[in-house]
Amino acid sequence: QRLLQDARIIRHRGKIEAAINNARCATELIENEGSLESFFWGYAPAAEHVPGSMTLSDESTRLSKDLKKRGWRFVGPTTMFALMQASGMVNDHANDCVIRPRVAAAITGRPRTHSAA
């Protein structure tokens, strides 16, 4: 109830409850999987995406379904693809972007344990 009155955050009851729920789910996931980083990176796509061409992928859909099975909320495939972009799991920088090679180098060698269909 207090959070619904806080003007500094999005005041949507469902999202507030989901954030609290997802924090609990994250703690459980860490206990079961070792870390959030290794779990999420396990869903990183094996191939590069065409720059700026997608809003979701097979991997983001699988990640979304897995998290939902684990009780997470507000984790749809488009949201998970945005997470993958923001965390560098998906390199969709333009081909001539100076950052593209840096992201490609950072991705190289990361295990992708959940990427297969």
Side-chain angles (χ1 to χ4, degrees):
Q1 197 59 33
R2 176 185 58 79
L3 292 172
L4 287 172
Q5 307 306 316
D6 189 339
R8 297 172 297 167
I9 65 170
I10 295 173
R11 290 168 286 170
H12 180 285
R13 179 179 294 281
K15 290 183 180 184
I16 291 170
E17 291 172 354
I20 294 166
N21 173 74
N22 291 354
R24 289 185 185 121
C25 290
T27 300
E28 186 175 314
L29 192 145
I30 292 166
E31 290 171 5
N32 294 332
E33 302 291 333
S35 75
L36 291 175
E37 178 186 18
S38 63
F39 177 80
F40 282 103
W41 271 91
Y43 286 92
E48 289 190 0
H49 287 84
V50 177
S53 67
M54 301 174 66
T55 58
L56 59 93
S57 66
D58 291 341
E59 295 86 2
S60 70
T61 300
R62 280 195 294 279
L63 174 57
S64 171
K65 287 179 181 179
D66 193 356
L67 290 173
K68 287 177 182 179
K69 278 191 242 177
R70 295 168 183 261
W72 293 59
R73 296 180 17 213
F74 284 94
V75 290
T78 302
T79 301
M80 292 301 93
F81 192 77
L83 170 80
M84 292 171 149
Q85 288 174 308
S87 63
M89 294 166 60
V90 170
N91 188 6
D92 65 350
H93 289 270
N95 288 327
D96 60 351
C97 177
V98 297
I99 299 300
R100 186 173 183 83
R102 292 183 202 169
V103 175
I107 291 172
T108 302
R110 287 284 205 159
R112 291 158 171 81
T113 55
H114 305 291
S115 292

